Amino acid sequence: MKRLTKAEEEIMQLIWEEQEPITVSQLINKMSEPYPPHSTISSIIRILESKGFVDHKTYGRTHAYYHIIEKKEYSKFSLKKLVGNYFEGSVNELVSFLVKENI
């Protein structure tokens, strides 16, 4: 599985919230103002599709996107990367850090 950029992860969070496929325009409407350009979100969606996170259904000239990778699956992947990169692969080190920092 590939790691997501911050922008890609923000889009995926919106897609994971949906039960049905969602269009780029619908995604933009769920975002805070100032709204990003349609072309920017379309580009990010294409990247997510190439990384295997989303797929689409076509309705005429409109594409509606849905997740292929579950949020839980990506969360597990991200947590493993975090533990590996910052806590020498030890969950105990992570827990110890959280307790010490009162997080």
Side-chain angles (χ1 to χ4, degrees):
M1 183 178 307
K2 296 184 179 181
R3 190 170 193 117
L4 298 176
T5 65
K6 183 179 179 186
E8 293 166 353
E9 197 167 327
E10 286 175 15
I11 299 298
M12 281 306 301
Q13 292 293 345
L14 296 173
I15 293 171
W16 280 320
E17 289 174 5
E18 295 300 312
Q19 301 300 316
E20 300 292 325
I22 187 169
T23 65
V24 171
S25 295
Q26 290 169 325
L27 280 170
I28 293 169
N29 288 334
K30 292 184 68 150
M31 298 175 149
S32 303
E33 290 188 31
Y35 298 119
H38 192 279
S39 59
T40 300
I41 303 305
S42 291
S43 294
I44 293 170
I45 288 286
R46 282 193 300 277
I47 292 167
L48 289 168
E49 208 167 7
S50 71
K51 287 183 173 183
F53 279 82
V54 299
D55 202 354
H56 70 273
K57 293 182 178 186
T58 304
Y59 304 99
R61 292 178 43 192
T62 303
H63 291 348
Y65 298 91
Y66 58 93
H67 63 85
I68 297 172
I69 302 291
E70 295 290 332
K71 184 176 183 177
K72 185 175 182 178
E73 186 179 349
Y74 186 71
S75 297
K76 184 177 176 182
F77 166 78
S78 294
L79 192 54
K80 279 186 176 183
K81 290 287 270 185
L82 175 81
V83 170
N85 290 339
Y86 295 99
F87 300 100
E88 301 170 17
S90 169
V91 174
N92 290 338
E93 289 289 328
L94 169 63
V95 172
S96 176
F97 173 80
L98 294 172
V99 170
K100 285 179 187 173
E101 295 298 319
N102 198 23
I103 297 177

